[in-house]
Amino acid sequence: MEKAALPVPPGSIIGIVGGGQLGRMAAMAAARLGYRCHIFTPDTDSPAAHVAMTKTVASYDDMHALRAFAAQIDVATFEFENIPIESLRLVAEQIPVRPSWKILKVAQDRVREKTFFNTIGLKTAPWRRVFDKASLAQAVAEVGRPAILKTARFGYDGKGQILIDDSTPLEDAWHCIDSEVGVVEAFVDFTRELSVIVARGVDGAWTAFDPAENHHTNSVLQMSQVPARIHSRMAVSAVEAGRHAAEVLDVVGILAVEMFVTREGNLLMNEMAPRPHNSGHWTLDACVTDQFEQFIRAVCGLPLGSPARYCDAEMLNLLGEEDVARWQNILNNPFARLHLYGKNDARPGRKMGHVTHLKPRTDIDQC
Ligand SMILES: Nc1ncnc2c1ncn2[C@@H]1O[C@H](COP(=O)(O)OP(=O)(O)O)[C@@H](O)[C@H]1O
Ligand SMILES: [Mg+2]
């Protein structure tokens, strides 16, 4: 825990490394609280910069630009996972970076991440580190088929992953992932996929949103719904797992943990992200304090708000040109809340926005 950290007061400048939609929604929450944001991004036209006070356009390893950025802001955070650790360390020499680069270092790498979960007593699917064809063969023999081979780094939305079923030649699989290090993990025959989003303040206080039930299509998040269709005991265990991970890591900010519920009713951790998460976008419309505001509050050392949920919600990602073309239809439904990220280039499958459908709360008696 940081000692006697003073709040970064409204009016200060928050530096956000990364210029995507997460930075955009964080900057909007920051603006509501009277902060100004400075976005550091390599992109000349980034969703976050559209709604921020200013931006630096430079590559993530431009040490000169990073030093100048740090000199102009009061506190820094990040919204993108694949930032070189060295860059954040450099910024941290000048001003507080929350959460710490040490947490990003764990979350960036599936080997470190899974080792971390297991070390603190949280279960994962059986997994092995692989680094060549021989270790891959050994790993698959040990965890069994079907299994999934994933690159240790830089994977997202299912990229850098390959399913190894009974007929997959291992030689081909290894060539496919094009990485020096990977993990092989047992394929989980899950009944539900969940995520828990924990916010944790400078003082160690924490809150968590209700677990979301997530549905992926081709490994890309398609829909998140709350409440998740799980027993309340399972919801408590899921939140407890997220809280435990956030405490051990000493997160100041947001930690999102993705998990599987097995047929036997066990929870297995999948991965984590020390930043706001796509599966928490529903909180913008359904909660007293949304994940972006909690993020800003935590990063600035302010008290956290209530994560209480007013209503049930279903968040659908809008991917590519086709989904975004439905914007008028979406607006015709008065209980749908449309969020567009202002991206120019609607490449197929690109996250262009999301819509949250709000419904009366069904589990009110459990409050
Ligand atoms: N071991 C597994 N068993 C079954 N499904 C998996 C497994 N690992 C990943 N998946 C599916 O693929 C999705 C993406 O994988 P994930 O590990 O979260 O990588 P990323 O989101 O970084 O691309 C998961 O949300 C899940 O639907
Ligand atoms: Mg994932």
Side-chain angles (χ1 to χ4, degrees):
M1 219 182 291
E2 289 180 50
K3 283 193 196 78
L6 292 173
V8 178
S12 306
I13 304 177
I14 304 170
I16 302 179
V17 185
Q21 62 269 18
L22 301 176
R24 177 185 178 91
M25 291 182 270
M28 288 158 81
R32 204 166 53 229
L33 290 170
Y35 292 97
R36 292 180 270 176
C37 288
H38 184 150
I39 308 296
F40 189 106
T41 168
D43 301 322
T44 49
D45 184 36
S46 65
H50 292 173
V51 300
M53 176 187 71
T54 189
K55 65 179 172 181
T56 295
V57 178
S59 72
Y60 289 126
D61 58 3
D62 183 334
M63 298 297 164
H64 179 74
L66 285 162
R67 271 198 204 97
F69 168 70
Q72 294 171 64
I73 58 181
D74 298 299
V75 65
T77 189
F78 50 87
E79 63 95 65
F80 176 63
E81 246 161 289
N82 291 318
I83 300 162
I85 294 300
E86 280 315 310
S87 303
L88 291 183
R89 289 182 74 159
L90 189 86
V91 175
E93 283 172 14
Q94 285 172 251
I95 38 137
V97 177
R98 296 175 182 150
S100 161
W101 54 267
K102 291 177 193 162
I103 301 164
L104 187 64
K105 196 170 169 183
V106 180
Q108 269 183 352
D109 183 309
R110 292 192 201 274
V111 174
R112 288 204 186 99
E113 184 175 60
K114 287 175 193 295
T115 305
F116 166 73
F117 284 137
N118 296 156
T119 309
I120 67 164
L122 296 176
K123 289 198 182 105
T124 57
W127 68 277
R128 298 287 184 277
R129 176 177 182 269
V130 294
F131 47 88
D132 61 11
K133 281 179 252 171
S135 56
L136 173 62
Q138 173 84 21
V140 173
E142 286 173 15
V143 308
R145 296 186 190 225
I148 303 188
L149 170 63
K150 302 179 179 177
T151 57
R153 296 211 43 198
F154 304 115
Y156 68 97
D157 288 347
K159 291 185 178 62
Q161 295 191 15
I162 178 159
L163 177 72
I164 298 177
D165 63 18
D166 286 341
S167 62
T168 312
L170 294 186
E171 181 107 1
D172 295 2
W174 182 246
H175 287 304
C176 246
I177 68 154
D178 189 26
S179 173
E180 279 176 19
V181 182
V183 297
V184 162
E185 61 185 71
F187 186 85
V188 181
D189 184 20
F190 57 79
T191 52
R192 300 267 184 262
E193 268 200 271
L194 306 178
S195 57
V196 168
I197 296 176
V198 176
R200 192 164 173 278
V202 174
D203 58 356
W206 69 280
T207 65
F209 295 102
D210 287 350
E213 175 180 336
N214 300 324
H215 301 265
H216 293 80
T217 306
N218 301 323
S219 299
V220 179
L221 183 68
Q222 187 209 2
M223 192 264 266
S224 292
Q225 65 183 94
V226 277
R229 292 167 301 167
I230 52 174
H231 195 280
S232 55
R233 277 199 305 271
M234 177 72 75
V236 169
S237 307
V239 167
E240 173 51 24
R243 181 206 62 79
H244 184 39
E247 297 254 299
V248 178
L249 289 167
D250 197 12
V251 169
V252 176
I254 294 276
L255 186 74
V257 183
E258 298 177 19
M259 353 182 155
F260 301 121
V261 180
T262 67
R263 286 199 186 276
E264 299 74 39
N266 294 317
L267 272 177
L268 300 178
M269 304 303 120
N270 176 28
E271 60 169 356
M272 63 183 181
R275 52 158 175 79
H277 196 259
N278 193 169
S279 68
H281 290 357
W282 61 272
T283 63
L284 281 167
D285 305 307
C287 293
V288 177
T289 317
D290 63 77
Q291 64 163 346
F292 298 99
E293 182 169 332
Q294 291 291 54
F295 178 53
I296 295 298
R297 284 176 180 238
V299 165
C300 292
L302 308 183
L304 300 176
S306 164
R309 178 167 60 81
Y310 295 124
C311 55
D312 289 3
E314 217 176 83
M315 186 283 316
L316 286 151
N317 269 337
L318 301 174
L319 304 175
E321 207 164 347
E322 255 170 58
D323 282 359
V324 110
R326 292 175 26 230
W327 65 269
Q328 265 171 318
N329 263 346
I330 293 169
L331 289 174
N332 281 333
N333 175 351
F335 289 96
R337 301 221 59 212
L338 177 66
H339 302 254
L340 295 176
Y341 308 148
K343 294 182 184 176
N344 268 336
D345 179 13
R347 289 191 299 273
R350 191 172 191 210
K351 289 176 182 169
M352 301 299 292
H354 70 268
V355 54
T356 307
H357 294 280
L358 301 173
K359 300 167 193 181
R361 195 167 164 156
T362 49
D363 61 339
I364 202 80
D365 53 341
Q366 289 175 19
C367 290

